[in-house]
Amino acid sequence: MELNLPPKVTDRAFARLGEIGAGKDGKALRVAVEGGGCSGFQYDIALDDPGDGDLVLEGSGEKVVIDEVSLPFLAGATIDFTEELIGARFIIDNPNASSSCGCGTSFSM
């Protein structure tokens, strides 16, 4: 099995976690991939406790965690935070996705 590049987390995403006080509460941003959604897979992004076997990405005192099942789907991806007219949200720029839906939470490989 080849080693995949871990996902990257932007400074903006870590800064947003700091703004909402995630690290102070002992929480991390969990990015998971689940079956379902309009394109076959969907992202599940939530504040959670880090767990055993998670990949932990740290920056600015904040953590982003990814479970080992989701990790291959997120190899080389970028986890970012965006503020647009439709709202502020964490987004995933995933080079593995062959197509994605307009909402940005669902993709196929």
Side-chain angles (χ1 to χ4, degrees), residues 12-97:
R12 202 165 40 188
F14 280 131
R16 178 60 181 163
L17 286 171
E19 284 169 21
I20 60 179
K24 282 199 293 271
D25 292 337
K27 299 288 186 189
L29 185 74
R30 179 170 297 283
V31 179
V33 174
E34 300 179 338
C38 43
S39 298
F41 294 100
Q42 64 187 3
Y43 300 113
D44 182 23
I45 302 174
L47 291 178
D48 195 9
D49 298 313
D52 292 340
D54 285 342
L55 172 73
V56 179
L57 304 166
E58 290 191 69
S60 306
E62 301 297 327
K63 293 179 180 165
V64 173
V65 295
I66 301 163
D67 66 86
E68 49 202 7
V69 175
S70 300
L71 192 55
F73 296 102
L74 294 164
T78 301
I79 299 159
D80 198 2
F81 180 77
T82 182
E83 294 185 66
E84 299 169 359
L85 290 174
I86 56 170
R89 62 197 174 117
F90 289 98
I91 56 169
I92 315 289
D93 178 17
N94 192 340
N96 306 299

